[in-house]
């Protein structure tokens, strides 16, 4: 596609084999096409050449799968479930502990509003959407969980009031988040934050095509996390990322260990404050200089 930081899925309308010409249902992707950029095909029978791949014949209703091991040696799971596996609305003082949840096309756990819901020591894997979504409410906590093989975000947070700076008091602590963003390849992450007063601490986040933590909002704490092997398929990005908001003040980033990042084209940064983002509330009151390459120098 035209830019390394934006992907899209386009349905093939016609393919002229003789002239090597392909057309799509829409005239272009999200930002157009450009010569020399990367692309790949999905669900093409001729590309079924590696263990772990599959092809779906939609006309005959058949799926062809090349297993990683002999079928007698493992378990083959398929799911038609598109709704969240667990949905909670206006629930208070409930704890989910030690659950293993896997194999769904939708989200894992969705918590809407409520107070003091805790998700502790759970494993979420092979999830088609987000692992855990916290949508508004107060004092929710996600801790000591493992989340992997996720289509979108591992954890998505929306909470607090930016107008009054009322905090949501969400806590995301000591989780292991990896191999997310397997369906949406850009702008999904280990922890997606649109919050006031959330705490993201001591998490291990790694192995994904785009960013590890994407934050928006005010007075959030991001501290003591380790992030590595991120931004593997994208450019103009960072392992911790934010931007485009003059009002996102009071956020504190402290003691995060960021290493072995990827980056294509314009590359990637450990911490990226992108386009019109200047937060003078960082610990050392560093001044920030904007460069023509959309990179911030501290």
């Amino acid at each position: 596609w035209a830019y390394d930081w934006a992907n899209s899925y386009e349905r093939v309308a016609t393919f002229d084999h003789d002239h090597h010409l392909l057309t799509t249902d829409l005239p272009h992707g999200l930002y157009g096409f450009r010569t020399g950029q990367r692309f790949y095909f999905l669900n093409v029978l001729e590309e079924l050449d590696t263990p772990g791949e599959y092809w779906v014949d939609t006309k005959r209703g058949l799926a062809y799968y090349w297993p990683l091991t002999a079928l007698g040696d493992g378990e083959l799971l398929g799911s038609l479930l598109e709704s969240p596996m667990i949905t909670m609305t206006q629930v208070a003082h409930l704890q989910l502990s030690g659950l293993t949840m896997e194999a769904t096309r939708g989200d894992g756990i969705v918590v809407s509003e409520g107070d003091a819901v805790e998700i502790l020591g759970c494993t979420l894997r092979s999830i088609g959407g987000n692992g855990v979504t916290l949508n508004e409410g107060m004092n929710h906590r996600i801790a000591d969980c493992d989340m992997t093989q996720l289509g979108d975000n591992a954890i998505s947070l929306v909470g607090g009031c930016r107008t009054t700076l009322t905090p949501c008091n969400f806590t995301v602590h000591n989780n292991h988040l990896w191999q997310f963003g397997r369906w949406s390849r850009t702008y999904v992450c280990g922890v997606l934050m649109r919050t006031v007063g959330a705490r993201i601490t001591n998490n291990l986040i790694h192995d994904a095509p785009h960013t590890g933590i994407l934050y928006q909002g005010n007075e959030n704490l991001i501290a003591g996390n380790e992030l590595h092997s991120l931004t593997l398929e994208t450019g103009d990005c960072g392992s911790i990322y934010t931007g485009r908001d003059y009002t996102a003040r009071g956020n504190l980033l402290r003691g995060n260990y960021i290493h072995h990042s990827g980056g294509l084209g314009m590359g990637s940064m450990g911490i990226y404050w992108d386009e019109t983002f200047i937060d003078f509330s960082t610990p050392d009151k560093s001044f920030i200089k904007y460069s023509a390459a959309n990179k911030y120098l501290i």
Side-chain angles (χ1 to χ4, degrees):
W1 313 131
Y3 300 103
D4 290 314
W5 44 263
N7 77 316
S8 62
Y9 292 95
E10 308 298 334
R11 188 177 297 276
V12 173
T14 64
F15 180 66
D16 186 336
H17 184 273
D18 294 332
H19 296 90
H20 295 179
L21 180 64
L22 180 147
T23 61
T24 62
D25 280 349
L26 298 175
H28 52 74
L30 288 175
Y31 296 94
F33 301 137
R34 189 166 60 184
T35 301
Q37 288 291 89
R38 300 165 296 131
F39 65 92
Y40 62 87
F41 289 96
L42 295 171
N43 207 42
V44 177
L45 179 59
E46 293 88 338
E47 295 298 321
L48 183 58
D49 57 8
T50 303
E53 295 182 343
Y54 64 91
W55 177 67
V56 178
D57 185 341
T58 56
K59 292 182 179 180
R60 300 176 62 191
L62 295 174
Y64 297 81
Y65 172 62
W66 188 337
L68 294 169
T69 61
L71 289 179
D73 297 336
E75 183 180 30
L76 183 62
L77 297 176
S79 176
L80 299 178
L81 180 64
E82 296 184 352
S83 59
M85 301 183 82
I86 296 178
T87 300
M88 291 178 276
T89 302
Q90 295 183 344
V91 171
H93 304 286
L94 176 70
Q95 184 181 103
L96 299 179
S97 179
L99 298 178
T100 296
M101 306 173 63
E102 63 181 341
T104 176
R105 295 165 61 90
D107 293 341
I109 302 172
V110 176
V111 180
S112 297
E113 302 176 351
D115 184 18
V117 172
E118 294 188 313
I119 301 169
L120 307 178
C122 294
T123 297
L124 292 96
R125 60 193 180 212
S126 299
I127 304 293
N130 297 331
V132 177
T133 297
L134 303 183
N135 186 21
E136 303 297 347
M138 301 284 289
N139 306 312
H140 300 320
R141 183 168 176 251
I142 305 169
D144 306 317
C145 294
D146 291 343
M147 304 186 197
T148 186
Q149 297 286 319
L150 304 154
D152 292 323
N153 304 288
I155 297 172
S156 177
L157 309 175
V158 177
C161 178
R162 297 191 68 189
T163 303
T164 62
L165 294 182
T166 302
C168 61
N169 293 324
F170 291 168
T171 298
V172 176
H173 177 74
N174 199 43
N175 301 283
H176 186 187
L177 314 173
W178 76 104
Q179 293 181 345
F180 44 87
R182 292 173 56 81
W183 174 248
S184 302
R185 310 299 287 184
T186 57
Y187 288 94
V188 296
C189 47
V191 183
L192 175 64
M193 306 166 61
R194 298 184 179 93
T195 52
V196 176
R199 298 178 296 277
I200 314 300
T201 55
N202 294 80
N203 300 282
L204 174 59
I205 305 173
H206 62 94
D207 285 279
H210 203 234
T211 187
I213 299 174
L214 193 160
Y215 71 95
Q216 296 175 315
N218 301 83
E219 300 182 359
N220 297 295
L221 172 66
I222 301 173
N225 303 285
E226 181 178 355
L227 303 97
H228 71 84
S229 305
L230 297 167
T231 64
L232 297 178
E233 298 180 13
T234 48
D236 192 16
C237 54
S239 295
I240 299 177
Y241 181 96
T242 192
R244 303 179 183 88
D245 188 354
Y246 275 126
T247 67
R249 305 297 180 92
N251 299 294
L252 178 61
L253 279 61
R254 182 177 63 199
N256 299 287
Y257 178 35
I258 303 169
H259 58 98
H260 292 87
S261 297
L264 300 168
M266 292 179 65
S268 71
M269 280 58 71
I271 299 173
Y272 191 17
W273 294 331
D274 190 8
E275 290 185 358
T276 70
F277 181 82
I278 300 177
D279 187 347
F280 291 110
S281 59
T282 46
D284 58 358
K285 304 296 182 183
S286 298
F287 287 92
I288 301 163
K289 181 180 179 182
Y290 179 70
S291 73
N294 290 337
K295 299 177 182 178
Y296 291 97
L297 307 176
I298 301 177

